[in-house]
Amino acid sequence: SFRDNLRAYIEHPQAHNNVLYYDEDFVFIRDKYPKSKMHLLLMPRDPSVTLVHPLEILGKHRPLVDKLNFMVFQKLPDLIMKEARNSLFPDSDLSSRVPSKSLWDFIKLGFHAGPSMNNLHLHVMTRDHVSPSIKHNAHYISFNSPFFVNIDTPVSQLPVRGSLSYLFQQDVCCYRCDESFGRQFSKLKGHLSEELESWLQETLER
Ligand code: 5GP
Ligand code: ZN
């Protein structure tokens, strides 16, 4: 099934060109259908965890959660900053004026509460959601509602598996200013582009 399509990356990382980094324990890849300017996936390779549900990982596999955080913040930060800069600022003049701190504040880390792909993957992505691969409200909602479970979520606040489908019927709201667009996807899309511009202006003025 298509749901197994991420398995190849952890089994044969050397065979794929959207692999940014791999070692014995992790593979770090670019999402093939990026839902933001930068959209990366960090995958543990251990066969005994790759098929464990992310909510169970967050609830019961705390050493692995710690390792994922270690990878992002200790092992891969330079690579992540480079990717963020290259994807947000194809024109590198601007990039040099944006401090890494601002970029980190614009990055989120989390799992989908109901993933479509079976092999465990942590989303490492910018908040903009400006991308041709955002094709309907559900795409946006899945990353901007409790369905996107931040890696920092306390165990006591994890959602109940299968309880969140109602979110996909709700109105879409801007992640940055909270304006609601009802169910009007094209209005949301236009606004997301404006918000990315506005974020850029603000980080440059600082
Ligand atoms: P999920 O909803 O399961 O948390 O997210 C799965 C992610 O995998 C999606 O963002 C999707 O775009 C991405 N994806 C699906 N198939 C492939 C693929 O074959 N290669 C890569 N690199 N990413 C994929
Ligand atoms: Zn807004």
Side-chain angles (χ1 to χ4, degrees):
S1 150
F2 77 93
R3 291 179 188 278
D4 299 317
N5 281 355
L6 296 181
R7 188 175 67 202
Y9 297 102
I10 57 170
E11 288 183 350
H12 307 288
Q14 64 287 347
H16 300 273
N17 54 8
N18 36 11
V19 173
L20 293 170
Y21 167 93
Y22 68 93
D23 61 23
E24 269 179 41
D25 300 324
F26 294 94
V27 177
F28 198 30
I29 66 175
R30 291 202 184 103
D31 197 292
K32 194 173 178 179
Y33 312 98
K35 306 302 189 298
S36 269
K37 287 287 182 184
M38 180 186 82
H39 189 176
L40 311 175
L41 305 173
L42 180 58
M43 303 184 65
R45 299 181 69 182
D46 183 347
S48 75
V49 298
T50 188
L51 295 179
V52 176
H53 193 281
L55 292 175
E56 191 171 329
I57 296 289
L58 288 170
K60 299 182 193 151
H61 295 249
R62 298 309 298 180
L64 178 58
V65 176
D66 293 343
K67 267 197 213 165
L68 287 163
N69 274 307
F70 175 85
M71 291 303 287
V72 169
F73 294 109
Q74 305 296 326
K75 187 99 187 171
L76 302 169
D78 293 351
L79 181 56
I80 294 168
M81 283 297 100
K82 186 173 149 215
E83 282 290 305
R85 288 181 186 283
N86 289 344
S87 40
L88 287 167
F89 316 104
D91 241 353
S92 67
D93 263 14
L94 283 182
S95 177
S96 63
R97 295 170 54 199
V98 177
S100 292
K101 169 75 168 72
S102 305
L103 293 174
W104 281 112
D105 289 344
F106 200 55
I107 289 173
K108 56 185 172 184
L109 310 174
F111 297 98
H112 274 155
S116 61
M117 302 306 270
N118 289 331
N119 295 95
L120 188 65
H121 51 279
L122 175 71
H123 296 274
V124 178
M125 68 200 307
T126 48
R127 297 185 184 277
D128 55 272
H129 296 292
V130 174
S131 165
S133 296
I134 291 269
K135 292 189 191 297
H136 42 70
N137 285 335
H139 280 149
Y140 178 81
I141 290 170
S142 77
F143 290 102
N144 294 278
S145 75
F147 193 81
F148 188 80
V149 185
N150 197 283
I151 193 165
D152 292 335
T153 306
V155 173
S156 63
Q157 287 172 34
L158 292 172
V160 172
R161 214 164 141 175
S163 67
L164 297 178
S165 55
Y166 72 95
L167 292 169
F168 294 92
Q169 314 310 318
Q170 294 189 341
D171 291 351
V172 285
C173 292
C174 174
Y175 68 93
R176 203 157 175 263
C177 73
D178 211 32
E179 183 174 348
S180 175
F181 299 93
R183 295 288 296 170
Q184 299 176 97
F185 180 64
S186 62
K187 290 231 168 92
L188 170 71
K189 283 247 335 165
H191 184 79
L192 291 173
S193 293
E194 290 171 13
E195 285 289 19
L196 178 56
E197 276 309 302
S198 150
W199 172 80
L200 179 58
Q201 288 310 318
E202 277 183 27
T203 56
L204 290 174
E205 278 162 17
R206 259 184 230 137

